[in-house]
Amino acid sequence: MKMKIKYAYNLMEIMLALLILGTIIALTLSNAKKKLPDVDKSRFKKAYTVTEKTVNTLINDENIYPYGEGFRNLEPVQTEFGETFGLPDENTKFRDTFKYNLDVIEDNINCPIPGNTKNACFKTDDGVVYGIPDTDFITKNLQETTIERASGEQKIKLLPITIYTDWEKISENADYKNDALFIGVRSNGEIRLINVGNVNCSNNSDAIQCKAMQYLQSNTLTTQE
């Protein structure tokens, strides 16, 4: 009579199999994570691109800003639909025409921006909130900014556009120095990322403007308060 022989794995073989399986899973998850898009980076890049495109559209439209005068021209402009933007005494022309070029779903949001201009924020259809203060691009609500030139340091003035890329998450406790990125717009149409409030990014790398500068380093400037 033949005896039936039972074949089974011993403990060492099971542990080896689990080790190999665990290694494969770890490598798979690691590679999958690397391929996932960085949500913050995508939002920053989109906000920067939208701002850059909108500013270029405005500065190159001679019906809105006549050539050679840049954004300092405060004469009201009328759209083809009869809307008038930018009463000189209110200095709202840039903000109004900027909004007109975006898909705005909510206006007059009271969000914190430099200059404390109330209800100067608006939300677009992608959930991003933009804050643009009243300005004449000469003296009103501009940030003095230091840039490096071949001849040395130069100070210029930029209008800071405050951008909240995740407004739904922080709307009730928003702090513009930590929760927003800033794109500075010069009267000639030049735009740059700026650091508003002199946030020390080496000690506060979680601040949104620090993350934005890290991702979009080529357009970084430092703003002096």
Side-chain angles (χ1 to χ4, degrees), residues 114-125:
N116 297 317
T117 306
K118 292 184 177 180
N119 302 322
C121 296
F122 54 91
K123 184 193 293 184
T124 57
D125 59 352

Side-chain angles (χ1 to χ4, degrees), residues 9-109:
Y9 296 107
N10 59 38
L11 181 59
M12 185 62 71
E13 290 172 331
I14 293 174
M15 291 180 65
L16 180 60
L18 290 175
L19 177 62
I20 295 173
L21 183 61
T23 302
I24 293 173
I25 293 174
L27 291 174
T28 302
L29 291 176
S30 177
N31 290 332
K33 188 176 181 180
K34 288 180 181 178
K35 292 180 180 179
L36 289 175
D38 187 309
V39 176
D40 281 340
K41 186 174 183 179
S42 298
R43 288 173 175 169
F44 298 158
K45 289 180 69 175
K46 182 176 181 180
Y48 189 91
T49 301
V50 168
T51 303
E52 182 178 45
K53 181 179 178 180
T54 305
V55 168
N56 285 336
T57 296
L58 297 180
I59 200 74
N60 290 306
D61 189 332
E62 293 189 24
N63 293 319
I64 301 176
Y65 287 102
Y67 180 76
E69 297 183 43
F71 292 134
R72 290 180 176 177
N73 185 294
L74 298 178
E75 290 299 316
V77 60
Q78 192 172 56
T79 73
E80 64 268 31
F81 301 108
E83 295 149 306
T84 301
F85 292 144
L87 300 177
D89 58 333
E90 296 178 359
N91 301 144
T92 62
K93 181 178 180 179
F94 179 76
R95 180 171 69 243
D96 291 345
T97 52
F98 191 99
K99 286 193 296 185
Y100 185 75
N101 280 270
L102 300 184
D103 294 320
V104 176
I105 61 173
E106 186 177 350
D107 202 356
N108 298 319
I109 297 174

Side-chain angles (χ1 to χ4, degrees), residues 180-194:
L181 67 95
F182 299 89
I183 299 178
V185 181
R186 200 175 180 185
S187 60
N188 63 2
E190 176 187 359
I191 73 170
R192 301 271 184 160
L193 276 178
I194 56 176

Side-chain angles (χ1 to χ4, degrees), residues 114 141-147 155-161 182-185 192-200 209 213 219-225:
N141 288 322
L142 300 181
Q143 296 278 327
E144 188 173 73
T145 303
T146 301
I147 62 174
K155 290 185 177 181
I156 62 175
K157 290 186 175 181
L158 302 170
L159 174 73
I161 296 181
F182 299 89
I183 299 178
V185 181
R192 301 271 184 160
L193 276 178
I194 56 176
N195 180 343
V196 172
N198 285 332
V199 174
N200 187 337
Q209 58 179 316
M213 288 182 171
N219 295 293
T220 301
L221 293 178
T222 301
T223 296
Q224 308 293 331
E225 283 195 319

